[in-house]
Amino acid sequence: MPTETAGQVIPVTDERPAPDQGRSQPGSLERGIDLLLALSAASRPVTLSQLCRSTGLPKSTAHRILGVLCSRELARRVGSAYLPGELLESMAGITRARVPGTRTVVLPYLLHLYETTRQTVNLAVPWGLEARYVERLYGHDRVRSRSDDSDRAPLHCTATGKALLAYDPRLRREVLARGSFERMTRRTITTLAGLERELAQVRRHGVAYSQEEFTEGVACVAAPVFGPCGRIRMAVGVAAPAHAAPLAKLSISVRGAAQAISAAFLGG
């Protein structure tokens, strides 16, 4: 009811907050954290719709925040989907956490492969629609590659990438859906039919090759590593100067290392 003060009538209002008025809505920082947590938990690229379902954010809000995260390298876009960015990976150690198995199992075989070949040894896992190099062993005179700065490379024109594609049906479908592929050198396979023929050869022989398809002057050999369930877990590769790479000899060493690692996973 109204009260009278100094000749004025002042209405008395009920100042109790509405049921939802006292609840603070999440701010941009909290929403961004929710998106980063969802990205970090994903093993494959996550679409905007999937992120919205997992975080409860409206598409317009999620899209705006993801744009900021991508500009700051906390997220990155792969096609129409998203993955953690370089900065988030380095801060959280995501790359190392995603290596199937442990270094204690793999590293002795990689060291032996390097001692046998005296060439750059790579261990790669799928990372979105790319190959991610999570271990590398090399000497002072290592062969230089376009992936040295980023530790990432396309799947369609690298030996490790082809090994991953050949034995991972889901990954292969995602990549082949593109229909055509970026030309990195004059030798790069850029057609769907050409890549499918190449992957059939990988499955037939158990080893993949890339002869100056990603980097001029570099030839690579890779083989798949399988887990106890028979699914591919990673690929082991060796990179060498194209003009002097004994591919047949290297393929024997690489395939032997991959088989040994697979057997170690099976026994462990």
Side-chain angles (χ1 to χ4, degrees):
M1 58 182 295
T3 61
E4 189 171 320
T5 303
Q8 286 186 313
V9 177
I10 302 175
V12 177
T13 59
D14 185 355
E15 296 184 352
R16 289 177 299 176
D20 291 333
Q21 187 175 330
R23 298 179 186 175
S24 61
Q25 295 297 316
S28 295
L29 176 59
E30 186 175 349
R31 293 169 178 174
I33 291 173
D34 287 341
L35 285 169
L36 291 176
L37 291 174
L39 285 172
S40 301
S43 59
R44 290 182 179 273
V46 190
T47 65
L48 178 61
S49 296
Q50 291 171 327
L51 287 170
C52 290
R53 283 196 296 271
S54 62
T55 61
L57 295 175
K59 280 191 176 181
S60 59
T61 301
H63 186 267
R64 174 176 56 81
I65 296 176
L66 283 167
V68 176
L69 295 177
C70 287
S71 70
R72 299 300 181 92
E73 297 186 355
L74 290 168
R76 64 187 180 95
R77 190 160 184 169
V78 180
S80 60
Y82 297 87
L83 277 173
E86 291 284 345
L87 182 57
L88 180 60
E89 291 173 14
S90 62
M91 291 169 61
I94 293 173
T95 300
R96 189 68 62 197
R98 291 191 185 281
V99 179
T102 62
R103 296 189 76 199
T104 56
V105 174
V106 175
L107 201 53
Y109 298 101
L110 300 184
L111 286 168
H112 180 70
L113 183 59
Y114 171 73
E115 291 169 354
T116 302
T117 63
R118 309 305 293 180
Q119 301 292 346
T120 300
V121 174
N122 297 312
L123 179 70
V125 296
W127 185 251
L129 299 182
E130 296 176 306
R132 187 65 186 262
Y133 298 111
V134 293
E135 296 287 357
R136 282 184 146 166
L137 301 177
Y138 47 84
H140 292 292
D141 58 347
R142 68 166 174 159
V143 64
R144 296 289 175 175
S145 171
R146 300 172 69 157
S147 63
D148 286 348
D149 293 333
S150 65
D151 286 330
R152 293 201 311 264
L155 293 166
H156 69 282
C157 58
T158 55
T160 51
K162 292 177 187 177
L164 294 170
L165 281 176
Y167 293 95
D168 187 332
R170 179 179 172 182
L171 183 63
R172 186 164 65 251
R173 285 194 300 270
E174 292 175 356
V175 171
L176 294 181
R178 296 178 173 182
S180 62
F181 310 96
E182 183 180 2
R183 181 178 296 280
M184 310 301 292
T185 73
R186 59 190 175 86
R187 294 177 179 267
T188 304
I189 297 173
T190 59
T191 65
L192 177 61
L195 183 58
E196 286 184 320
R197 285 194 298 269
E198 183 83 358
L199 298 180
Q201 289 294 321
V202 175
R203 290 189 293 273
R204 182 174 296 112
H205 300 292
V207 64
Y209 299 95
S210 174
Q211 300 185 57
E212 298 187 88
E213 295 175 41
F214 178 51
T215 302
E216 296 282 359
V218 179
C220 303
V221 183
V225 174
F226 300 97
C229 60
R231 295 177 59 183
I232 187 168
R233 302 184 70 174
M234 59 187 77
V236 175
V238 166
H243 68 275
L247 295 182
K249 184 177 180 180
L250 287 176
S251 67
I252 295 173
S253 298
V254 170
R255 189 160 39 197
Q259 291 172 347
I261 296 171
S262 298
F265 282 129
L266 184 62

